[in-house]
Amino acid sequence: MRAADHTLPNVDLILSPRLRLCSWRDDHREPFSGMHADPEVMADLGGPATREQSDAKFDRYVQAYREYGTSRWAVEDLDGVFLGYCGVMPRMPAPDHPLGFHHEIGWRFKRAAWGRGYATECAKAALEHAIARTGLSDIIAYTGPDNLRSQAVMKRLALRRDPTKDFSFDLPDGAMFPVLVWSVEIERYQK
């Protein structure tokens, strides 16, 4: 049991035609964790996450919003059912990360929400919001070479492939995981 609800009040809400992107609440923790425990959802990310790992990620998203005014958002359908997350996240990587500090647009959805265009719809709304709210001039997106679903979303968002920023990292099993990078054309999302 948690000592206190330290999530943000639902002060920000982004509406898209079919979805709402909202601030994190403690009632999102359980479905968030369930999504991260799904082997199919996590196949491109090194496998399922534990509840502890999921809670740590959840807490990072809440903290990032407090500090930077942008983060991943909980994505719900218009009836309030949790579907996943999407948003522009400030990334505070390990000191040896090849990209250093940067902002990344990203998304993840529970399996039942795949194939409906939600990632593209949410990412467009999240980019417009983050750029208007923070004035960011550089946002990237990245994924593995085998994650064709995310690459298709990046193409639909008209992101520009930027192989000069590609990198790789070591997986727990010792294998290398290559990462492909795309850049957001900021002017496309300025209102």
Side-chain angles (χ1 to χ4, degrees):
M1 181 168 189
R2 300 207 176 284
D5 180 353
H6 61 277
T7 57
L8 296 173
N10 205 7
V11 296
D12 280 316
L13 180 70
I14 303 170
L15 293 175
S16 69
R18 300 175 295 160
L19 305 166
R20 60 186 186 194
L21 287 72
C22 55
S23 298
W24 293 100
R25 302 183 310 264
D26 260 356
D27 65 321
H28 290 132
R29 275 189 193 275
E30 192 65 36
F32 184 84
S33 177
M35 179 178 68
H36 286 99
D38 184 326
E40 195 170 5
V41 170
M42 299 297 288
D44 294 318
L45 301 158
T50 65
R51 178 60 187 253
E52 182 177 85
Q53 291 167 323
S54 179
D55 281 346
K57 181 182 290 274
F58 185 100
D59 293 340
R60 280 194 310 273
Y61 291 176
V62 170
Q63 188 62 34
Y65 186 85
R66 284 187 177 128
E67 290 182 30
Y68 297 96
T70 186
S71 182
R72 304 286 195 243
W73 297 87
V75 176
E76 300 174 343
D77 66 16
L78 297 179
D79 293 325
V81 175
F82 178 84
L83 301 174
Y85 68 73
C86 180
V88 176
M89 180 75 180
R91 300 297 299 234
M92 288 82 49
D96 60 346
H97 193 288
L99 299 180
F101 179 83
H102 59 279
H103 285 81
E104 177 215 6
I105 179 74
W107 49 83
R108 184 167 303 147
F109 289 87
K110 61 185 188 179
R111 179 65 187 97
W114 289 4
R116 298 181 182 178
Y118 291 159
T120 303
E121 183 176 327
C122 289
K124 181 179 183 301
L127 283 167
E128 289 170 353
H129 179 271
I131 291 165
R133 181 173 182 157
T134 65
L136 291 172
S137 61
D138 186 35
I139 302 171
I140 60 175
Y142 43 83
T143 191
D146 296 333
N147 190 341
L148 301 180
R149 290 184 309 273
S150 281
Q151 291 177 38
V153 171
M154 292 171 191
K155 289 175 186 172
R156 285 192 293 276
L157 293 168
L159 276 62
R160 181 180 39 82
R161 180 77 175 88
D162 190 352
T164 65
K165 293 183 180 176
D166 289 354
F167 63 96
S168 60
F169 62 88
D170 295 323
L171 293 173
D173 66 4
M176 290 293 287
F177 185 79
V179 180
L180 308 178
V181 179
W182 280 257
S183 291
V184 174
E185 303 278 341
I186 298 293
E187 60 279 356
R188 295 176 82 80
Y189 296 94
Q190 292 174 323
K191 288 188 172 188

